[in-house]
Amino acid sequence: MIRFITAVFMFCYATVSAAHEFSALARLDASQSAVQDIRKGVQIDLSLSQGVPWRLFMLEDPRRLVIDFREVVWQGVDIDALDQSDRIQTLRAGGFRPGWSRLVADLTVPMKIEHAEMKVNEETGAAHLSLSLKETDAESFAALTGEPEDPHWGHSIPTLTLQKREPKPDWAPTVVVIDPGHGGIDPGAERGAAQEKDLMLTLARELRDTLRRAGGFEVHLTRDSDTFVSLEGRVAYAHEKRADLFVSLHADIVQQGHAEGATVYTLSEDASDAASQYLAERHDRSAVLAGIDLSGTDDVIANVLLDLARLETAPRSERLAKAMVLGMQGTIGKLNNKPYRHGGFSVLKAADIPSVLIEVGFMSSDRDLANLKNSDWRQRMTEGVRDGLQAWVIADKAASDLVRK
């Protein structure tokens, strides 16, 4: 049913777009849009400045409706104010990948698509998306879930291959992939107007500049704009760039207790403490809430091979994390009371690339949030990371020379 509806949508748009020259982006008119309850269901009306290709589907765990567009700009739209329905718990919208945006509605009850239609004004090109949902039972909802298999949308999970790496010549730069956490539809932690995705992108760009000025580094960012990149996509990008190391940047919020100061994590299925386990689960959960279906991605044989590869990489990651801690202590001083920890973060699962995740601070801490907004403090933070990376490069080369001997 969903695949049939999607095909009809794309055909209708194609027949209308031939008569109009549309720009690349559509904008939402919030004053003419609404998400509200109707009898035993929900009515979603979205008024757009122009017609665009789109599709929709349902996913579960948690139950949610996903609508993809090419492309709607959500900046300036108060998504929370748009949602007037008790049957929709939260709405999230934003960039999903370059050229695409996504709207996700978390459902409080199982529902099915009763009616969906986009009408495009033949004179102005403006469009109106009308979508009706009706309550259904859990079994019927489960039967309707799943992302449509449509090759035109290209949402397949990247496949990774491990290749034997030849030793690099001494003159070759160290390839660093910096991963600003979250992005696009996934804002990460939020406190007031501050969003983790924006703070980490700013810090990642500044770290890139610091490393480039230092020399000896070739630096790439997994995202350089407000775009969603899946966990698998971030790891795949590091392989694509043949990274020598991978650094993921985050700044979370703790709901209970108090935490502040920078912490460096390496990968381990056995978390070093309950807080590490909570943060790892929260990071992975963000991909699920953004509409990504991670079911069926585990492969026992593949995991065994990856674990074997990690036997060599794990001690290199550990040395990297400890060098980072020393570097940051030298420039910003006090870190978290346990500055080196480990947990099961999916973004650290590049088996053949030494990887660390830096919780730069906690947005729930007034001090940390002020630091993250302070350009002088961020500069000292990037210098600390630089010092740690430079120390690690020297130590790692010395260790590899001993292994070869």
Side-chain angles (χ1 to χ4, degrees), residues 45-347:
D45 290 291
L46 302 178
S47 180
L48 305 175
S49 60
Q50 64 186 46
V52 291
W54 61 292
R55 72 170 187 176
L56 76 169
F57 55 95
M58 298 284 197
L59 292 174
E60 55 183 344
D61 297 329
R63 296 188 184 110
R64 58 209 189 275
L65 166 73
V66 179
I67 311 176
D68 287 332
F69 302 89
R70 185 182 177 105
E71 176 180 14
V72 174
V73 179
W74 301 100
Q75 280 81 357
V77 177
D78 187 346
I79 296 297
D80 292 334
L82 196 64
D83 181 14
Q84 301 297 318
S85 169
D86 293 332
R87 295 183 177 92
I88 292 182
Q89 184 174 13
T90 54
L91 278 179
R92 293 179 309 285
F96 176 61
R97 59 183 62 210
W100 301 93
S101 58
R102 170 166 285 188
L103 176 69
V104 178
D106 296 321
L107 310 177
T108 60
V109 295
M111 288 190 282
K112 63 180 180 179
I113 299 168
E114 188 80 359
H115 172 78
E117 180 182 22
M118 178 182 283
K119 291 184 177 180
V120 180
N121 187 301
E122 294 185 3
E123 295 181 0
T124 65
H128 186 90
L129 174 62
S130 175
L131 173 62
S132 300
L133 305 177
K134 290 291 185 182
E135 290 190 22
T136 187
D137 58 88
E139 184 177 351
S140 298
F141 176 85
L144 294 171
T145 59
E147 185 174 2
E149 297 178 5
D150 185 345
H152 297 294
W153 290 79
H155 283 236
S156 59
I157 294 175
T159 57
L160 304 180
T161 58
L162 300 182
Q163 298 178 351
K164 180 65 176 178
R165 296 183 177 222
E166 298 298 327
K168 298 179 67 169
D170 291 339
W171 54 262
T174 299
V175 180
V176 182
V177 168
I178 303 172
D179 173 45
H182 310 281
I185 194 174
D186 174 20
E190 297 178 281
R191 183 177 175 187
Q195 293 187 322
E196 181 182 2
K197 66 175 182 178
D198 297 329
L199 293 170
M200 293 304 98
L201 181 57
T202 297
L203 181 63
R205 288 169 172 167
E206 293 172 347
L207 177 57
R208 175 180 60 188
D209 294 343
T210 298
L211 294 179
R212 286 177 174 174
R213 286 193 298 267
F217 294 102
E218 176 187 324
V219 188
H220 303 278
L221 269 58
T222 57
R223 66 179 182 93
D224 199 7
S225 61
D226 186 17
T227 304
F228 177 85
V229 183
S230 68
L231 297 174
E232 294 86 356
R234 296 169 192 265
V235 176
Y237 181 81
H239 282 92
E240 176 189 331
K241 296 301 180 183
R242 300 188 64 81
D244 294 306
L245 53 92
F246 179 90
V247 180
S248 190
L249 303 175
H250 289 266
D252 271 289
I253 281 180
V254 291
Q255 302 295 340
Q256 296 180 345
H258 179 73
E260 64 180 15
T263 309
V264 185
Y265 286 87
T266 55
L267 176 68
S268 174
E269 296 304 327
D270 298 321
S272 54
D273 49 56
S276 300
Q277 180 67 26
Y278 165 76
L279 289 177
E281 292 173 352
R282 186 176 184 277
H283 284 212
D284 283 6
R285 188 68 166 174
S286 67
V288 174
L289 295 177
I292 301 297
D293 188 352
L294 298 179
S295 62
T297 58
D298 290 338
D299 184 297
V300 174
I301 296 177
N303 282 340
V304 170
L305 295 175
L306 293 174
D307 287 340
L308 290 174
R310 291 188 186 108
L311 289 176
E312 177 184 352
T313 308
R316 299 177 66 204
S317 296
E318 182 177 342
R319 288 196 296 270
L320 176 60
K322 292 179 178 178
M324 290 282 199
V325 168
L326 291 175
M328 290 186 293
Q329 285 176 334
T331 58
I332 64 174
K334 183 174 175 15
L335 306 183
N336 187 271
N337 60 352
K338 293 182 180 179
Y340 171 53
R341 308 187 189 200
H342 50 263
F345 296 88
S346 288
V347 77

